Amino acid sequence: ILLSLDSEAFIINEETFAEKNWNEEWEKNVEPIVVSENIVITPEWKKDDFNAKYKIIINPKMSFGTGHHETTSLMIGELLQIELEGKTVLDMGCGTSVLAILASKRGAKKILAIDIDTWCVENSIENIALNNVDNVEVMLGGADLLKGMHFDIILANINRNILLADMAKYAACLSSGGKLYMSGFYEDDIYLIEAEAFNNNLQLNDFSKKNNWVAVETTKN
């Protein structure tokens, strides 16, 4: 239904579109992302077009985390620099689970991927299977699920307000000397993130930036 203003009255025009699978149409327009010479994120139907050290197959189903957004790219950059061999990892707000899959491919021992969105959980399970990864568990829910758990590395690419609200829960399940990486906010918000990190015995070590979006690295003291 299209609305237009004609002098003093609204005119409603109706137009009928042919029935389509709009999600399928959207998927067709998802292009591979070449992050670097080492990593490419590609939909399944283009997986044979690339050779890379880390090839991650993601059929996004409209979930966040295709690698196109700056924050996903920043977190991938952080993951490529972390020593992951034998580590336990949490991918909080996992979206497509691209970060969890990359952590597995880089040697992490066990990964938990969590999201509050049922669509993301279902898509994560599909993507994990496509990548032949067998050490990633996916759960539906929020930070309340973390009680009693322990991780060496936590990845949280969500948004500023959720990070501020849930950082205490992240810190509580992070091992001493463990790393918490956060993104989903702007450079101007770093001072808020750093203050809440300090309140939870986390030290902000460094940050990376892309088009005013940032990812920060913190360590639990």
Side-chain angles (χ1 to χ4, degrees):
I1 296 176
L2 306 176
L3 296 180
S4 60
L5 184 61
D6 182 22
S7 64
E8 298 180 355
F10 284 101
I11 299 174
I12 300 177
N13 299 313
E14 293 187 4
E15 184 176 351
T16 301
F17 293 91
E19 185 175 343
K20 287 185 178 181
N21 183 331
W22 292 106
N23 189 61
E24 182 179 342
E25 292 298 311
W26 180 81
E27 285 181 357
K28 290 177 182 176
N29 294 312
V30 176
E31 292 297 324
I33 297 291
V34 180
V35 180
S36 71
E37 62 182 13
N38 288 326
I39 178 169
V40 62
I41 303 169
T42 177
E44 185 180 16
W45 51 91
K46 294 191 176 182
K47 65 181 180 180
D48 296 329
D49 295 350
F50 299 90
N51 288 312
K53 184 176 181 179
Y54 303 112
K55 184 192 293 185
I56 301 178
I57 302 168
I58 295 293
N59 291 344
K61 304 287 186 188
M62 301 188 76
S63 301
F64 180 80
T66 60
H68 290 76
H69 195 273
E70 289 88 343
T71 59
T72 309
S73 178
L74 286 167
M75 293 293 274
I76 288 170
E78 297 290 347
L79 266 180
L80 291 173
Q81 299 179 58
I82 306 171
E83 176 54 55
L84 288 168
E85 193 70 36
K87 303 289 187 181
T88 54
V89 177
L90 168 66
D91 182 3
M92 195 70 202
C94 61
T96 61
S97 280
V98 63
L99 299 180
I101 293 166
L102 179 57
S104 176
K105 289 179 178 287
R106 296 210 61 240
K109 178 175 66 176
K110 186 177 181 181
I111 305 103
L112 176 62
I114 296 179
D115 206 289
I116 61 171
D117 191 312
T118 302
W119 193 296
C120 290
V121 168
E122 293 173 353
N123 185 220
S124 289
I125 292 170
E126 178 185 356
N127 291 329
I128 289 163
L130 285 172
N131 286 274
N132 297 314
V133 168
D134 61 5
N135 62 342
V136 179
E137 179 185 0
V138 186
M139 296 180 68
L140 174 66
D144 290 340
L145 294 173
L146 302 177
K147 188 175 182 180
M149 296 184 181
H150 299 282
F151 302 94
D152 300 313
I153 294 170
I154 298 177
L155 313 167
N157 182 19
I158 310 178
N159 67 55
R160 186 196 69 182
N161 292 338
I162 293 178
L163 292 172
L164 292 173
D166 290 346
M167 203 182 305
K169 294 174 182 176
Y170 304 155
C173 65
L174 189 62
S175 59
S176 179
K179 303 282 189 181
L180 167 61
Y181 294 85
M182 294 175 284
S183 192
F185 54 93
Y186 296 114
E187 187 175 7
D188 291 345
D189 296 321
I190 288 180
Y191 77 99
L192 292 171
I193 297 294
E194 184 173 20
E196 184 61 20
F198 180 82
N199 290 337
N200 288 284
N201 203 29
L202 296 165
Q203 178 179 329
L204 194 151
N205 305 317
D206 201 0
F207 71 92
S208 53
K209 181 174 71 170
K210 189 173 184 179
N211 296 333
N212 203 36
W213 293 95
V214 295
V216 301
E217 176 198 284
T218 66
T219 303
K220 185 172 181 178
N221 295 319

